[in-house]
Amino acid sequence: MPLITVQYSSTKDVSPSKAEIAAAVSELSSKILQKDPKVTAIIVQTVEASDWFAGGRSLAEQKLASVWLDIHITDGTNTKDEKAEFIAATFKRFGELLGPLHTESYVHVHEVRADAYGFGGLTQERRYIAKKLWIPPYQLAV
């Protein structure tokens, strides 16, 4: 149930749609991090190349694209290798989608404690306990 925020700037004459970007991110998080697309939330925001600066110059000046992707996942649900693969694959995929990426393009994986993160009014920890005990999650609500 990750929450993913993507901010991007493209060098292409015709940028990919926000739906294409969301689909690519959902596919990567599902395939590599085993996150369920049915409970994945993705926010996609465009940033003008003239408003994004890296190395003291705008992306427009440098004729480069960039991406900042934040993903929040439950702590301990993925290995270091999975996270490294996700970061590398995301960088590669966004290069294909947006055009040549500035090296100052980022993927930030936030690992959040299960008792401090959730959706639908329940923490991930309570969902885990309910699954283990076969208790309907709504019965664990405070």
Side-chain angles (χ1 to χ4, degrees):
M1 61 130 266
L3 170 61
I4 305 169
T5 304
V6 179
Q7 293 177 308
Y8 74 95
S9 182
S10 180
T11 58
K12 291 190 172 182
D13 291 334
V14 179
S15 295
S17 71
K18 290 180 178 183
E20 288 175 282
I21 289 174
V25 171
S26 182
E27 179 184 342
L28 289 167
S29 67
S30 174
K31 179 178 145 189
I32 299 169
L33 301 176
Q34 299 86 48
K35 303 307 177 193
D36 184 353
K38 294 177 190 157
V39 291
T40 297
I42 303 170
I43 300 166
V44 180
Q45 301 169 319
T46 308
V47 178
E48 292 295 322
S50 59
D51 293 337
W52 193 312
F53 291 80
R57 296 174 45 218
S58 75
L59 293 176
E61 289 176 72
Q62 298 179 62
K63 297 184 181 4
L64 291 171
S66 194
V67 63
W68 169 266
L69 185 145
D70 259 332
I71 179 170
H72 293 79
I73 62 173
T74 305
D75 187 32
T77 58
N78 292 101
T79 67
K80 288 181 181 184
D81 289 341
E82 289 169 334
K83 291 178 280 189
E85 181 183 352
F86 177 76
I87 290 168
T90 299
F91 189 87
K92 180 179 187 273
R93 184 69 180 111
F94 272 89
E96 296 164 357
L97 285 168
L98 304 177
L101 290 180
H102 195 288
T103 56
E104 299 301 316
S105 295
Y106 296 94
V107 177
H108 188 181
V109 179
H110 298 269
E111 289 191 283
V112 184
R113 289 189 350 242
D115 66 348
Y117 184 55
F119 66 99
L122 293 174
T123 67
Q124 288 300 87
E125 181 176 50
R126 287 185 181 220
R127 288 178 187 283
Y128 176 80
I129 292 167
K131 186 176 177 183
K132 288 293 182 185
L133 299 176
W134 294 92
I135 298 171
Y138 64 86
Q139 289 182 357
L140 291 176
V142 179

